[in-house]
Amino acid sequence: MKTVKNFSKAFPACAIASAVIIVFGLVGIFTRGINFGIDFVPGLVEEVRIAPAAIELTYTGSASVSVETSNTALELVISGTGAENETKTFTFGQNPTVQDMANAINGIDGVAAKVTGSASADSYGIYTDSASTSRLSYDVPVRLYVADVANTASVEEVRTALASQNVAVKELGDVANRSFQIRAKIEKGDDSSVETLQKGITGSLKAAFGDTNIAIVKTDFVGSSFSSSNAAKSVVLALVTLLAIWLYATIRFHWDFAVGAIIALVHDCLIMFAFISWSQVEFSTTTFAAVLTIFGYSINATVVILDRVRENIRLVETKNFKDILDTAISGTLSRSVITTVTTLFASIALLVFTSGSIRDFAQVLTVGLISGCYSSMFISSGFIAVARRNWQPGEWAYHVKPHNK
């Protein structure tokens, strides 16, 4: 028989500790705010890389030549007058250095590839500036960039360069493949166009790091109607989820058990938002998915304990309902801890080995897993202990006969 630990003694202390953390989180929400992603507020998101151009491409022929890049190769698409409408492919494997790539491109009639950076740099992952034209011409060169650890800027330098633009800057990737996510919100009543906003950001970066050292990897824009719709749908989805869980718990157990389960879920939600606020993790649809994931995880952990409580009402000889709760938590303790720890292995792996929105998801998920395990044992059970402080054997026994004495 498992040893019954007196978990109920910790209920008041846990309630106070949780209240302090939640108040701390609310202070963070009102003072620091939530770092809403572009899914929830209108604005512009750009991913930018800062490094000197490695190759400059020009073309003097009569055809139309444009450059495209992928994860494995660089392609020149040739079409139009005097051309055979063909695509020339230059793989990084066959052209491992910038100089090798330039030599191969120079073999195309009319195309000139001038090395402007380190000739021995690795050609793998060559990229272009998505904000510039990809069509080659004689007077305006198309620039190709490669990752350059020695010359890339730091996130602090980028933030300093954009200090006047009222934007948020986040570093993405490792040192060898560093890029920066720049997010500019469009506040309600702001008449600034996307083009004006983009030009201001690009102009500040070029002023700080040089005209030829900036490459826009991608640009996204979300309008106010779309972001407002996303926010409203997310709130409705969360409320409907809580309502469905409350109905399920009420039907399966009892009203106080159901309320205890909902309090635990709201507790977990507030703990996660406290973390989101103070860490300034971007709250996007991916992060919201982590919150909903914890709803499912936490209610599952709570239901396991509540099911054991319902069973112990008939089995445990006591006049104090806290003894039933202690027995239930003790009986499910190993299951709760092992389930949480094994799930944490996956979330921590995502936290360590990923970046961007997936890493944000993993951070919130990790906090939620710990909070969910804790709230199932102490917050939900603590409320039930208060609700049943005057409980007598045989009360609310779910239509089963009281234990015969």
Side-chain angles (χ1 to χ4, degrees):
M1 183 177 178
K2 293 186 178 180
T3 303
V4 176
K5 298 177 175 62
N6 197 353
F7 288 100
S8 58
K9 281 189 174 181
F11 290 166
C14 289
I16 294 172
S18 292
V20 170
I21 295 173
I22 289 171
V23 169
F24 184 67
L26 292 175
V27 170
I29 291 172
F30 286 110
T31 58
R32 294 171 60 88
I34 301 295
N35 181 22
F36 286 106
I38 198 67
D39 301 319
F40 295 107
V41 291
L44 176 74
V45 173
E46 283 191 335
E47 184 178 345
V48 177
R49 285 188 172 184
I50 301 174
I55 300 175
E56 290 185 350
L57 301 178
T58 54
Y59 177 63
T60 56
S62 58
S64 174
V65 180
S66 60
V67 60
E68 298 178 358
T69 59
S70 67
N71 292 331
T72 58
L74 179 145
E75 296 179 342
L76 292 181
V77 181
I78 306 172
S79 59
T81 305
E84 297 182 0
N85 296 329
E86 58 182 336
T87 298
K88 299 289 186 179
T89 301
F90 307 92
T91 63
F92 301 137
Q94 293 177 333
N95 305 280
T97 67
V98 167
Q99 187 63 65
D100 292 333
M101 184 64 74
N103 292 339
I105 295 173
N106 280 324
I108 306 299
D109 289 341
V111 178
K114 177 184 176 182
V115 176
T116 56
S118 173
S120 61
D122 190 349
S123 68
Y124 180 79
I126 280 179
Y127 59 94
T128 59
D129 180 6
S130 65
S132 301
T133 180
S134 62
R135 183 176 177 179
L136 275 59
S137 64
Y138 175 73
D139 54 341
V140 180
V142 172
R143 297 183 176 90
L144 304 178
Y145 300 83
V146 294
D148 191 334
V149 178
N151 293 293
T152 188
S154 67
V155 67
E156 289 78 12
E157 291 172 326
V158 175
R159 286 171 179 157
T160 300
L162 296 173
S164 63
Q165 296 296 322
N166 191 27
V167 299
V169 181
K170 183 177 181 179
E171 183 177 342
L172 304 176
D174 55 23
V175 176
N177 297 283
R178 179 182 292 161
S179 63
F180 304 95
Q181 182 191 76
I182 300 170
R183 181 169 57 82
K185 300 178 184 178
I186 298 179
E187 302 295 342
K188 187 175 182 180
D190 190 348
D191 296 327
S192 299
S193 67
V194 178
E195 292 77 12
T196 301
L197 194 60
Q198 191 171 18
K199 285 180 181 179
I201 293 172
T202 304
S204 296
L205 291 174
K206 287 183 177 181
F209 303 106
D211 290 347
T212 63
N213 296 335
I214 307 299
I216 308 298
V217 178
K218 64 179 181 180
T219 302
D220 294 313
F221 175 75
V222 173
S224 58
S225 60
F226 181 79
S227 60
S228 299
S229 175
N230 271 352
K233 288 178 181 178
S234 298
V235 172
V236 170
L237 181 58
L239 293 176
V240 169
T241 301
L242 289 174
L243 177 61
I245 291 172
W246 174 76
L247 287 173
Y248 163 78
T250 301
I251 294 170
R252 180 169 179 179
F253 299 108
H254 195 269
W255 72 265
D256 55 337
F257 281 29
V259 174
I262 294 301
I263 288 175
L265 291 179
V266 173
H267 166 276
D268 297 336
C269 184
L270 292 174
I271 293 295
M272 285 186 284
F273 272 94
F275 172 77
I276 290 169
S277 173
W278 286 104
S279 66
Q280 287 296 287
V281 168
E282 184 178 83
F283 187 74
S284 62
T285 50
T286 304
T287 316
F288 180 65
V291 175
L292 293 183
T293 300
I294 294 304
F295 278 8
Y297 173 88
S298 182
I299 191 60
N300 179 66
T302 302
V303 163
V304 169
I305 295 175
L306 297 183
D307 205 42
R308 186 64 64 89
V309 171
R310 181 172 61 177
E311 178 183 344
N312 288 343
I313 288 176
R314 295 178 296 158
L315 302 177
V316 176
E317 297 257 7
T318 182
K319 292 184 179 181
N320 190 338
F321 200 82
K322 290 182 178 179
D323 295 334
I324 296 175
L325 292 170
D326 289 337
T327 304
I329 298 172
S330 298
T332 58
L333 179 62
S334 59
R335 184 260 183 207
S336 299
V337 172
I338 292 172
T339 301
T340 301
V341 170
T342 52
T343 311
L344 280 172
F345 288 156
S347 66
I348 291 174
L350 290 174
L351 188 61
V352 173
F353 297 109
T354 63
S355 60
S357 60
I358 298 300
R359 191 171 189 276
D360 293 339
F361 172 88
Q363 290 184 68
V364 176
L365 186 66
T366 299
V367 172
L369 287 171
I370 297 170
S371 177
C373 180
Y374 159 80
S375 66
S376 296
M377 292 191 292
F378 296 102
I379 303 303
S380 175
S381 299
F383 171 81
I384 295 170
V386 172
R388 298 205 173 191
R389 60 189 180 278
N390 297 321
W391 175 83
Q392 296 295 324
E395 285 188 79
W396 304 336
Y398 310 102
H399 309 292
V400 298
K401 292 181 180 180
H403 183 75
N404 292 324
K405 296 186 178 180

